[in-house]
């Protein structure tokens, strides 16, 4: 019956757009012209509300898509809905959405020709931007119809799936592909309500299986961090890392064999740090000074000047605990310890310790993954292991004693410093 109507419609296109044959010797229009005429008839009929004539034009285009009639599947769906063929339109729309929601669904669809013309612009006229208001209006159009409730509920659910789930193009090292992603979270809860309602009402439907086994778990997995964020805006921040600067004061002392040659006392101490953290791993640059080591007794240590000993180093930390208020981070690193009262130059030191960071204040992040500005009090304990070495060959002849006095120095003494510091830091967390 449809094919018969199509034949009559083709004859109408031939006769309706030409003058009588007795007065016209022009050649018959090509298929391309007939297809474009059919699209024009479909558009003008939809505009005038003549759904019967619009249906004939639509059937003609559907029948000839394999012959090159320009009619995309989405245009066909839109035209079906415009002409009141809701079941056909929803079935086609559902198949198109299934290619997004079900990766195992691979329909054997042939490519179709498209045309950028008044019909295309008419069918798409109210779809952009596609938001919840538009989805509700499209669903409202089918509610009074006599199609089954299953079709109506399926259409509503699929419309909301289009609001939140789609395929987006991705290019990696010049290779392009598409990935299915959740690109909007504002309508997720409405979609989940619709999908669960559909599964409960129509458990035997193919789309119930898709929603239950594929779509709902996919959405829930992606939404879990967002739900955590809304419940506790800071929870997602733990172990995320950041960038911070710290400055403070410290107290400490030195132990080890080197204390046989030095007397230690505290000067005007300072400790400064720059911290860059990725996940649980942190890289820290350190500068500290404050311990004064003066030679004692007959150590023969050459006095070069004065001032507080200085340490410059780099440490690598690992966060073992992180919460809204407290972070604990053991660290290890290497540095240089400069004995400012000696010409022993610089000793390489191994640094071990732990940072305990207390977040005194933090701004609330505006979104998941957003930056929070924090003020932090850092309590640090740090040990430094190194060696004080100095050697020289010297001496003199003591005429009173009648012998040579050897004043050579050969010192190789281990030392360990202990530092307890309190710093205040600004941190982008």
């Amino acid at each position: 019956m449809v094919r018969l109507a199509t034949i009559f419609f083709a004859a109408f296109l031939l006769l309706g757009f030409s003058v009588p044959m007795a007065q016209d010797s022009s050649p018959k229009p090509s298929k391309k012209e007939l297809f474009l005429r059919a699209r024009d008839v479909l558009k003008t009929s939809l505009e005038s509300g003549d759904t019967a004539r619009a249906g004939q034009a639509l059937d003609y285009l559907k029948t000839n898509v394999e012959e090159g009639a320009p009619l995309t599947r989405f245009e066909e769906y839109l035209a079906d809905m415009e002409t009141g063929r809701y079941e056909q339109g929803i079935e086609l729309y559902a198949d198109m959405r299934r290619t997004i929601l079900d990766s195992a669904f691979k329909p054997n669809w042939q490519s179709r020709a498209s045309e950028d013309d008044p019909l295309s612009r008419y069918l798409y006229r109210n779809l952009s931007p596609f938001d919840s208001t538009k989805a509700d209006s499209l669903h409202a159009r089918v509610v009074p119809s006599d199609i089954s409730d299953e079709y109506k509920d399926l259409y509503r659910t699929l419309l909301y799936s289009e609001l939140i789930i789609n395929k987006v193009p991705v290019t990696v090292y010049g290779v392009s592909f598409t990935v299915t992603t959740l690109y909007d979270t504002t309508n997720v809860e409405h979609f989940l309500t619709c999908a669960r309602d559909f599964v409960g009402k129509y458990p035997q439907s193919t789309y119930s299986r898709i929603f239950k086994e594929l779509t709902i778990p996919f959405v829930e997995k992606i939404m879990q961090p967002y739900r955590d964020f809304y419940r506790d805006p800071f929870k997602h921040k733990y172990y995320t890392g950041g960038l911070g600067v710290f400055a403070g004061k410290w107290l400490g002392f030195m132990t080890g064999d080197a204390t046989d040659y030095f007397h230690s006392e505290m000067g005007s101490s300072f400790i400064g740090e720059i911290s860059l953290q990725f996940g649980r791993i942190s890289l820290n640059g350190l500068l500290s000074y404050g311990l004064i080591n003066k030679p004692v007794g007959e150590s023969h240590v050459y006095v070069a000047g004065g001032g507080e000993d200085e340490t410059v180093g780099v440490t690598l930390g690992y966060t073992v605990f992180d919460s809204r208020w407290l972070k604990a981070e053991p660290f290890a690193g290497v540095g240089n310890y400069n004995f400012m009262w000696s010409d022993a130059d610089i000793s390489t030191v191994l640094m071990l310790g732990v940072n305990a960071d207390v977040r005194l204040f933090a701004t609330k992040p505006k979104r998941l993954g957003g930056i929070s500005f924090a003020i932090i009090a850092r309590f640090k304990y740090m040990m430094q292991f190194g060696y004080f070495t100095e050697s020289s060959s010297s001496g003199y002849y003591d005429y009173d004693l009648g012998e040579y006095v050897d004043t050579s120095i050969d010192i190789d003494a281990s030392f360990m410093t202990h530092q307890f510091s309190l710093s205040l830091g600004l941190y982008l967390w």
Side-chain angles (χ1 to χ4, degrees):
M1 187 66 181
V2 171
R3 184 168 294 277
L4 184 61
T6 303
I7 294 173
F8 281 117
F9 184 73
F12 163 77
L13 291 176
L14 285 169
L15 297 176
F17 288 87
S18 62
V19 296
M21 292 296 292
Q23 303 176 18
D24 187 9
S25 59
S26 61
K28 291 183 179 181
S30 65
K31 285 186 177 181
K32 177 68 173 178
E33 291 178 88
L34 292 176
F35 297 154
L36 295 181
R37 289 179 183 180
R39 288 179 66 88
D40 186 63
V41 171
L42 177 55
K43 187 244 182 192
T44 55
S45 300
L46 290 175
E47 285 181 319
S48 64
D50 189 350
T51 56
R53 189 174 180 222
Q56 290 178 334
L58 179 58
D59 288 334
Y60 175 76
L61 291 169
K62 285 183 180 181
T63 304
N64 289 278
V65 289
E66 294 184 4
E67 301 296 324
L71 183 70
T72 65
R73 287 180 178 82
F74 202 78
E75 287 179 337
E76 181 180 338
Y77 145 69
L78 293 173
D80 278 334
M81 303 304 287
E82 293 268 358
T83 55
R85 301 176 177 183
Y86 297 133
E87 288 191 3
Q88 294 181 43
I90 292 172
E91 287 176 354
L92 181 57
Y93 179 66
D95 281 345
M96 288 187 289
R97 288 302 301 160
R98 186 176 176 184
T99 62
I100 305 295
L101 304 178
D102 183 2
S103 60
F105 181 59
K106 305 293 183 183
N108 187 23
W109 285 342
Q110 295 180 342
S111 60
R112 292 189 179 189
S114 61
E115 189 74 29
D116 184 11
D117 62 357
L119 172 63
S120 177
R121 291 187 286 274
Y122 176 81
L123 291 174
Y124 283 88
R125 65 194 183 280
N126 293 323
L127 292 183
S128 182
F130 186 72
D131 53 21
S132 58
T133 301
K134 175 54 63 177
D136 289 337
S137 67
L138 292 175
H139 177 250
R141 182 168 57 180
V142 305
V143 171
S145 69
D146 58 358
I147 65 174
S148 68
D149 289 341
E150 182 176 349
Y151 273 101
K152 296 175 183 177
D153 292 342
L154 176 61
Y155 190 45
R156 177 185 62 177
T157 306
L158 292 174
L159 286 170
Y160 270 89
S161 78
E162 187 172 352
L163 288 172
I164 65 171
I165 304 173
N166 225 319
K167 288 187 176 181
V168 296
V170 175
T171 301
V172 179
Y173 297 110
V175 179
S176 298
F177 54 94
T178 60
V179 295
T180 303
T181 184
L182 188 71
Y183 63 93
D184 174 41
T185 60
T186 57
N187 294 288
V188 164
E189 297 305 328
H190 195 160
F191 164 75
L192 290 174
T193 299
C194 293
R196 292 187 179 111
D197 181 63
F198 186 87
V199 171
K201 287 183 178 179
Y202 317 103
Q204 302 305 316
S205 169
T206 298
Y207 288 92
S208 286
R209 179 192 65 80
I210 294 172
F211 294 149
K212 182 178 180 180
E213 298 179 7
L214 303 175
T215 314
I216 293 176
F218 171 78
V219 173
E220 288 285 9
K221 181 178 180 180
I222 295 178
M223 283 302 298
Q224 189 58 50
Y226 290 91
R227 293 198 174 97
D228 290 343
F229 172 74
Y230 294 132
R231 283 194 295 266
D232 181 358
F234 290 101
K235 182 178 180 180
H236 79 290
K237 302 299 294 182
Y238 309 152
Y239 306 107
T240 57
L243 173 66
V245 292
F246 300 85
K249 304 281 288 181
W250 63 276
L251 294 173
F253 56 92
M254 177 180 286
T255 60
D257 296 338
T259 58
D260 293 340
Y261 306 94
F262 288 101
H263 167 69
S264 298
E265 61 184 54
M266 285 301 305
S268 56
S269 68
F270 170 80
I271 183 168
E273 291 181 88
I274 298 177
S275 179
L276 182 62
Q277 184 171 341
F278 303 92
R280 294 189 181 221
I281 306 297
S282 68
L283 181 65
N284 306 281
L286 170 72
L287 167 66
S288 74
Y289 59 80
L291 195 62
I292 300 174
N293 287 292
K294 298 180 179 180
V296 297
E298 298 295 328
S299 64
H300 302 292
V301 174
Y302 176 73
V303 178
E308 294 92 349
D309 292 355
E310 182 181 88
T311 300
V312 178
V314 177
T315 64
L316 196 65
Y318 183 80
T319 302
V320 295
F321 175 80
D322 202 353
S323 69
R324 168 68 179 84
W325 301 107
L326 178 65
K327 181 176 77 171
E329 178 190 81
F331 63 85
V334 294
N336 291 322
Y337 190 95
N338 189 355
F339 287 89
M340 303 300 291
W341 281 85
S342 170
D343 65 349
D345 296 326
I346 299 171
S347 171
T348 299
V349 290
L350 170 66
M351 296 183 287
L352 299 174
V354 61
N355 294 322
D357 293 348
V358 178
R359 296 186 179 97
L360 305 176
F361 168 80
T363 59
K364 181 179 177 181
K366 295 181 178 179
R367 57 179 177 81
L368 180 65
I371 291 176
S372 174
F373 174 78
I375 298 177
I376 295 177
R378 167 166 286 186
F379 298 89
K380 177 193 291 288
Y381 169 65
M382 180 172 65
M383 296 180 292
Q384 299 180 86
F385 302 89
Y387 286 88
F388 172 78
T389 59
E390 186 171 357
S391 62
S392 65
S393 298
S394 62
Y396 63 92
Y397 186 82
D398 190 326
Y399 290 95
D400 294 334
L401 297 176
E403 63 182 26
Y404 180 81
V405 178
D406 186 4
T407 59
S408 299
I409 299 174
D410 186 12
I411 301 173
D412 186 7
S414 64
F415 70 88
M416 182 168 62
T417 66
H418 304 264
Q419 296 185 9
F420 302 87
S421 64
L422 173 61
S423 302
L424 195 64
L426 303 178
Y427 205 80
L428 293 180
W429 176 34

